Each structure stands twice: as C-alpha cells, then as structure tokens.
Amino acid sequence: MEKIAVYPGTFDPVTLGHLDIVERAIPIFDRVIIAVAMDTGGKPTLFSIEERVQMLKDVTKNYPKTEVYGFSGLLITYAQELNACTILRGLRAISDFEHEFQMASINKRLNPSVETLFMMTNESYFFLSSSSVKELAALGCNLKGFVPELIAKKLKERLL
Ligand code: COA
C-alpha cells in the first residue's frame, strides 16, 4: 500500500521553512501531497487560494513524488479522501506545541487511523513565519534566505 503524507497549511506564502519539511518528507513517503487550505480558521490571507496553490506548484515543480492541491472543509476528511496515512506538520518552537497538540488530538479523535507526524523545523528557519515574511516584504527588506526568489518577487508586486 502506498504511503501518502498530507502536508497541510495556509502557505500565505510558502517559505523556505515549509520547503525544508517537504524535502525531508520525500525520502520517507511514496507521495507527499501539499494541501493548501481554503478554510484557515478565519485567518485572512494576502494571496487567494488559487495564487497560493500556483506558487507552491511553481516552487516544487522539480520535486519528485510531490503534488499540490487546494482543499476546503475538514483536513481529516480530505486526508481520508486521499487515502493518506499521515498528516505532516512542522514544529518550530515550544510555542507551536499547544496549538499543534490540539489540532492533532482533534484529528485523531475524528479519524484514529490517520497519524499526525511532527518534524522539527530546520534550525535555520526556527524564527520564520509567513506573517514575518509579509511584514519584512512590506518594509522593502531583502527576503533572500527566507523565501524562494519567485515568492519574493510576488510579495514585492503585491505589497510595494
Ligand atoms: N517553516 C516556516 N514557517 C512555518 C513552518 C515551517 N516549517 N510551519 C509552519 N509555519 C508557520 C506558517 O507560515 C504560519 O505562519 P503565519 O501564522 O504567520 O501565517 C504558521 O506557522 C501557522 O501555520 P499554518 O500552516 O497556517 O497552520 P495553521 O495552524 O493556521 O493551520 C491548517 C492550518 C490548514 C492545518 C488548519 O487551518 C486546518 O486544518 N484547516 C482545515 C479545517 C480543519 O480541518 N479544521 C480543524 C482543525 S483541528
């Protein structure tokens, strides 16, 4: 049976921290499905769902075993539809833990057959978040080392 991982997120926009998680998941799973959420728990987004999906497709186009889709509704239902055995999440710091623990526990209760797997974010990206990247972009900061070049260009076009 194929080992399918779903890597969900808002990805507004994707950062090098997210890509680091995907790259490390590729050798572990048969397929890594990046699932871009339409329902983000009320969090407003700078980029539309179509834009976020397209940006991820562009920056992962040379990655093997990787697919990108948008989804709406419950993550656990989507994971089930994809026959995924694992929900993959990156953990940056202790501050992420409570929120992630809550989400993983709810998802486990909704469907015990899907495991949530946490990967420690590479220490180079511990401090990184999509919000901080947007803030830096709005202030005209160089985003090298934070996001792929294409994403830095998109942020510049949108914010400056
Ligand atoms: N490197 C850098 N940044 C990272 C990162 C990494 N490896 N992993 C996470 N982050 C950052 C993100 O950029 C984001 O930053 P921001 O808050 O500044 O935008 C932050 O961590 C949170 O990540 P995000 O992917 O947006 O997660 P979330 O906690 O908002 O949850 C979903 C997103 C899609 C998983 C969640 O909303 C969901 O499951 N939605 C579907 C509906 C559903 O099933 N709800 C019930 C859930 S129990």
Side-chain angles (χ1 to χ4, degrees):
M1 203 166 119
E2 270 191 322
K3 274 188 288 164
I4 302 173
V6 184
Y7 180 40
T10 308
F11 303 109
D12 186 47
V14 56
T15 69
L16 291 180
H18 296 125
L19 293 179
D20 168 64
I21 300 284
V22 177
E23 285 166 17
R24 285 159 52 207
I26 288 169
I28 303 173
F29 295 96
D30 297 313
R31 289 167 70 198
V32 177
I33 297 180
I34 304 175
V36 184
M38 205 180 277
D39 299 307
T40 56
K43 195 158 77 171
T45 60
L46 178 65
F47 295 102
S48 68
I49 179 76
E50 292 80 13
E51 289 171 319
R52 285 179 280 137
V53 167
Q54 191 55 52
M55 285 190 281
L56 267 155
K57 282 187 175 167
D58 290 340
V59 298
T60 60
K61 65 175 189 287
N62 294 324
Y63 287 21
K65 301 195 254 175
T66 307
E67 297 152 61
V68 183
Y69 304 108
F71 78 101
S72 59
L74 277 179
L75 169 63
I76 197 71
T77 309
Y78 187 58
Q80 219 168 314
E81 280 167 20
L82 294 168
N83 268 331
C85 56
T86 305
I87 293 170
L88 183 65
R89 293 287 288 169
L91 272 185
R92 288 164 302 166
I94 300 238
S95 53
D96 281 347
F97 181 77
E98 204 174 320
H99 174 62
E100 293 296 336
F101 182 71
Q102 190 185 22
M103 282 205 299
S105 307
I106 293 172
N107 286 328
K108 186 82 182 165
R109 174 67 70 90
L110 295 174
N111 184 346
S113 68
V114 180
E115 288 294 342
T116 299
L117 182 79
F118 295 105
M119 264 189 192
M120 290 304 296
T121 299
N122 185 308
E123 61 183 29
S124 319
Y125 307 122
F126 267 163
F127 58 90
L128 203 53
S129 73
S130 299
S131 308
S132 56
V133 162
K134 284 181 277 194
E135 195 176 333
L136 292 171
L139 296 169
C141 189
N142 183 346
L143 298 178
K144 196 169 161 45
F146 299 158
V147 293
E149 226 170 279
L150 171 88
I151 305 300
K153 193 167 158 271
K154 297 273 179 203
L155 280 164
K156 210 168 151 189
E157 283 168 9
R158 181 63 49 97
L159 290 168
L160 293 178

